[in-house]
Amino acid sequence: MSDSLFADASQRFAQALKYVQISEDAIEHLKYPKASLQVSIPVRMDDGSLRVFQGYRVRYDDTRGPGKGGVRFHPSVSMDEVQSLAFWMTFKCAALNLPFGGAKGGVALNPKELSKFELERLSRGYIEEIADFIGPDVDILAPDVYTNQMIMGWMMDQYSVIKRKISPAVVTGKPLTMGGSLGRDTATATGAFYVIEAMMPKFGRRPQETTVAIQGFGNAGAELAQLLWQAGYRVVAVSDSQGGIYAAQGLDIPSVRQFKETTRSVKAVYCEGTVCNIVDHEVITNQDLLALDVDILVPAALENQIMAENAANCRAKFIFEVANGPVSAAADAILEQKGCQVFPDILVNAGGVTVSYFEWVQNRSGLYWSLGEVNQRLRQRMVEEAEHIWKIAQELAVSMRTAAYVHAINRLAEALAAKGTRDYYVNGHH
């Protein structure tokens, strides 16, 4: 799977290069990760046996600041996948003007098979192995697929034990009591919501007349569904890894969430009696959901959901990528021909890394902000960068994705040029 991931990411980079003035040095510099680490993590299991897990951390680029990126626990984690995600993070941080470079980490395992004790030993073991490779000024970790506040807390604690000093800024997405930021757990969804709210009026769309389908009813997807529902959008379908539900007249999102939280699935979502609205709904598959005739489609699950094979079935007018890389490069071309506007992950889901940056700043200053302050700063940054990227897309007559990469590459190129490029050394430009 992930071979195509890095190829895809590189293809988008190449696509954007046609529209930027950038030195050969910068292009050469961005072709390779700065540093990659692969580690073995021995874990004593609850039954006394020993298992060794493979862990990874890649710092792709740190021209604009320390590396920043999540850690995922997933069976498909590989060096190639982690490198691709670190490459993406480099552009995401630059697109949002954060003083960070791109990094990513992961451990290959199915976390659902481990007890809480085993997960804690694994999380601490991962930090034991990579402690010299990370740090508040070097590379900062964050939650990703199947990692959460609790796991981030263990990781921060282990790093502090190793360094013999409390180091909250090495990890973001921590519990509040350990220096986490208000609004971090919902930041990805909140940021995506601000982008949707800023972009839809450009097409003359009003919430009441806009239908939405959301693939992935996890942390980001469920929260975004709630925000859209509250704002008056008609959310007609949601799905999780087990399958999805559809109701043409719109779903009652709070009831769906309540049901999902008590039973861990969105199937048969409407509970008995008066607790929630009884709405007729159809059970649909994830593939059905991607092909629904809706205004907005939000892929908020895993990468590579809309591929060359199924892109033609896609009938949405707008796609907002809340997952990382849910639409392949080949699918992009098909969607563009169909007149579907794709708003790229490196803008839409950047709320998470933006509030991670705010958390890091709060940790370093020791001054903590209210939820209102966090969201106000998040809205300002998401809307400002979305407008910038929109302007580039209009001026160059390119897709929003290419515009986002152009925006990011320009910032990276400026940072690289500040250190001196061939042009400077050979032609003596000042």
Side-chain angles (χ1 to χ4, degrees):
M1 173 208 80
S2 46
D3 298 341
S4 58
L5 257 191
F6 196 65
D8 260 15
S10 312
Q11 218 169 319
R12 277 147 184 182
F13 176 54
Q15 181 67 29
L17 286 178
K18 302 172 192 167
Y19 303 96
V20 291
Q21 299 284 301
I22 176 176
S23 72
E24 284 300 316
D25 292 24
I27 297 174
E28 188 63 20
H29 183 92
L30 288 167
K31 273 187 195 163
Y32 308 100
K34 173 158 183 160
S36 309
L37 180 66
Q38 178 170 358
V39 297
S40 297
I41 310 157
V43 176
R44 179 70 59 196
M45 307 304 277
D46 293 345
D47 65 3
S49 66
L50 186 79
R51 275 182 69 188
V52 177
F53 297 91
Q54 291 304 295
Y56 308 90
R57 188 74 191 171
V58 172
R59 196 154 68 245
Y60 201 93
D61 181 81
D62 56 8
T63 313
R64 289 174 45 86
K68 182 82 192 76
V71 179
R72 58 174 55 183
F73 286 176
H74 196 269
S76 73
V77 166
S78 65
M79 181 55 90
D80 189 72
E81 180 183 59
V82 170
Q83 179 175 316
S84 309
L85 293 161
F87 180 75
W88 257 321
M89 281 301 293
T90 305
F91 295 101
K92 190 187 294 185
C93 291
L96 269 290
N97 207 10
L98 306 175
F100 290 139
K104 206 75 179 192
V107 181
L109 80 147
N110 179 354
K112 295 173 178 175
E113 293 170 358
L114 271 62
S115 72
K116 288 199 171 70
F117 292 116
E118 291 166 342
L119 268 179
E120 177 175 3
R121 290 195 285 269
L122 174 79
S123 304
R124 291 179 181 276
Y126 177 65
I127 297 302
E128 282 287 338
E129 300 303 332
I130 68 165
D132 296 331
F133 197 75
I134 58 172
D137 298 301
V138 183
D139 182 1
I140 301 126
L141 313 186
D144 198 270
V145 178
Y146 290 126
T147 52
N148 56 17
Q149 283 194 1
M150 190 81 195
I151 290 171
M152 292 304 114
W154 290 330
M155 289 184 174
M156 188 281 276
D157 185 57
Q158 192 60 31
Y159 183 84
S160 298
V161 168
I162 293 165
K163 297 294 176 184
R164 290 181 175 271
K165 60 180 181 192
I166 303 294
S167 312
V170 71
V171 169
T172 59
K174 304 178 291 293
L176 285 176
T177 49
M178 296 175 82
S181 173
L182 288 165
R184 173 64 188 90
D185 51 344
T186 52
T188 305
T190 310
F193 176 69
Y194 292 151
V195 174
I196 293 172
E197 287 277 83
M199 292 294 124
M200 293 318 280
K202 298 187 186 306
F203 301 93
R205 309 301 293 230
R206 302 223 314 276
Q208 289 68 23
E209 304 145 10
T210 309
T211 53
V212 185
I214 298 181
Q215 182 206 30
F217 204 64
N219 182 355
E223 183 65 28
L224 179 58
Q226 180 101 5
L227 291 168
L228 291 167
W229 180 81
Q230 280 165 349
Y233 291 82
R234 198 163 87 222
V235 183
V236 296
V238 297
S239 69
D240 61 13
S241 53
Q242 316 295 299
I245 53 170
Y246 168 76
Q249 69 276 46
L251 297 162
D252 181 58
I253 296 300
S255 329
V256 182
R257 282 188 87 172
Q258 193 191 356
F259 189 86
K260 163 94 183 181
E261 273 151 31
T262 47
T263 65
R264 315 297 309 145
S265 104
V266 298
K267 272 198 184 159
V269 133
Y270 292 96
C271 33
E272 297 304 316
T274 54
V275 196
C276 5
N277 307 356
I278 302 286
V279 177
D280 289 334
H281 65 269
E282 300 168 44
V283 173
I284 56 170
T285 66
N286 267 304
Q287 283 306 320
D288 294 339
L289 182 134
L290 297 175
L292 287 173
D293 188 0
V294 288
D295 298 312
I296 297 178
L297 172 62
V298 178
L302 284 168
E303 54 272 314
N304 288 338
Q305 296 301 303
I306 301 173
M307 310 283 284
E309 303 83 71
N310 64 350
N313 307 336
C314 190
R315 290 185 286 170
K317 296 166 193 71
F318 306 95
I319 292 178
F320 287 87
E321 297 186 329
V322 171
N324 284 315
V327 179
S328 74
D332 261 347
I334 299 169
L335 292 168
E336 209 166 322
Q337 281 169 347
K338 295 183 65 126
C340 174
Q341 270 276 0
V342 179
F343 293 86
D345 47 5
I346 65 169
L347 165 66
V348 179
N349 73 19
V353 67
T354 301
V355 178
S356 271
Y357 163 56
F358 296 164
E359 182 175 329
W360 180 77
V361 169
Q362 292 170 82
N363 291 158
R364 317 261 327 206
S365 67
L367 182 67
Y368 290 81
W369 309 341
S370 69
L371 182 59
E373 266 178 289
V374 170
N375 283 338
Q376 183 201 336
R377 290 171 194 252
L378 175 61
R379 179 192 290 263
Q380 189 187 345
R381 188 164 300 236
M382 295 301 290
V383 173
E384 203 173 294
E385 300 302 338
E387 294 289 355
H388 264 303
I389 293 167
W390 174 257
K391 209 169 131 213
I392 294 168
Q394 302 311 301
E395 281 167 9
L396 300 175
V398 292
S399 70
M400 281 293 281
R401 186 182 318 278
T402 299
Y405 276 92
V406 166
H407 191 40
I409 291 166
N410 282 331
R411 282 200 176 130
L412 283 161
E414 278 167 29
L416 287 160
K419 295 184 180 178
T421 59
R422 176 177 183 272
D423 199 35
Y424 171 82
Y425 293 115
V426 176
N427 304 324
H429 289 305
H430 295 299

